Amino acid sequence: MNIQFSQILFQIVNFSILVGALSYLLFKPIQKIFKDRTKRIEEGQKAAEENITAQKRLESLQKKTKQHSEKKATQIVKEAKDKAKSKRLGILTQAKKDGQILIEKMKNDFETEKNQAMKKMETTMLEAVIAISKKVIGKSLNKKAHTQLINQEIEAIIKTL
Amino acid sequence: MIATIISTQKLTPVALNKIKSAINKKYGSQVKFEQKIDQSIIGGIKITLGSIEIDATIDGKLRRLYQELLSKL
């Protein structure tokens, strides 16, 4: 076997050139590609993490808002119920008062009407008594009685003149 | 001036003279007299002399009684 050192040297040089050329032309770009890819992946992961954080924050905010709204709604309902209760009591009290006033008025009206009716009845009775008296006296007086009455009245008139 | 004497029957001359003298004494002898018969007065006598009215009738008395009792109701 003949080992030719020039050939080996040539191969070594050749190989070195090849490695050098490959490293420059291939290795570096590929490395860059991998670096870029890694960077993109990292950025994507970071963005994803940020999204997750933002989502968690949003969820927390939503939860807080929901709790606050529920609390507010409960408060509003309670206030409305209390107001309605108070108004109902007010209406009932007023209705009672109005009822009592109406009853008093009706009582007074009834008394007034009763008194008026009594007075009318008494007036009618009085008129009837006077009318009957006129008839009875008229029928009971004869000519002599008339004359006597006239003479009496004339004496009385003369005294007053 | 005319004095109207209203009664349920004609006055006797004595009664008429009495009332005439009394009125003439009070209001003068220029007063003329006329008699009227009105059964609605029921009894007694009424004399009207211008705006003056002397009501001594039963009807008048009953009316006054009615007014008085009515005012007390």
Side-chain angles (χ1 to χ4, degrees), chain A residues 119 122-123 126-127 130 133-135 137-138 141-144 146-151 153-155 157-158 160-161, chain B residues 7-9 11-12 15 18-19 22-23 26-27 42-45 47 54 56 58-59 61-62 65-66 69-70 73:
Chain A
K119 193 165 181 181
E122 284 165 357
T123 306
L126 186 60
E127 283 168 3
I130 297 292
S133 301
K134 281 184 184 178
K135 280 201 167 113
I137 294 168
L141 290 173
N142 56 20
K143 202 172 174 179
K144 195 179 171 185
H146 271 290
T147 310
Q148 267 181 335
L149 181 62
I150 289 167
N151 290 336
E153 294 301 336
I154 287 172
E155 293 301 327
I157 289 169
I158 288 168
T160 59
L161 281 177
Chain B
S7 57
T8 51
Q9 61 190 36
L11 266 57
T12 59
K18 266 189 184 175
I19 198 75
I23 289 172
K26 176 101 182 174
Y27 298 102
I42 303 169
I45 185 169
I47 302 166
I54 302 166
I58 288 174
D59 180 55
K61 286 182 183 175
L62 285 172
L65 176 65
Y66 171 77
L69 290 172
L70 198 67
L73 284 177

Side-chain angles (χ1 to χ4, degrees), chain A residues 2-14:
Chain A
N2 267 346
I3 298 169
Q4 290 178 334
F5 289 106
S6 59
Q7 280 284 338
I8 292 167
L9 193 69
F10 176 71
Q11 290 297 328
I12 290 168
V13 165
N14 205 19

Side-chain angles (χ1 to χ4, degrees), chain B residues 2-20:
Chain B
I2 298 173
T4 309
I5 301 169
I6 305 164
S7 57
T8 51
Q9 61 190 36
K10 228 172 165 182
L11 266 57
T12 59
V14 171
L16 190 60
N17 283 334
K18 266 189 184 175
I19 198 75
K20 276 183 179 177

Side-chain angles (χ1 to χ4, degrees), chain B residues 39 46 51 63 67 69-70:
Chain B
Q39 300 301 326
K46 183 155 80 176
S51 61
R63 255 189 290 116
Q67 292 299 331
L69 290 172
L70 198 67

Side-chain angles (χ1 to χ4, degrees), chain A residues 79-97:
Chain A
E79 279 174 12
K81 277 185 180 174
D82 290 343
K83 215 173 179 180
K85 195 177 176 185
S86 157
K87 204 166 184 182
R88 181 172 162 270
L89 278 171
I91 289 168
L92 280 173
T93 310
Q94 188 59 42
K96 238 185 187 176
K97 268 188 198 169

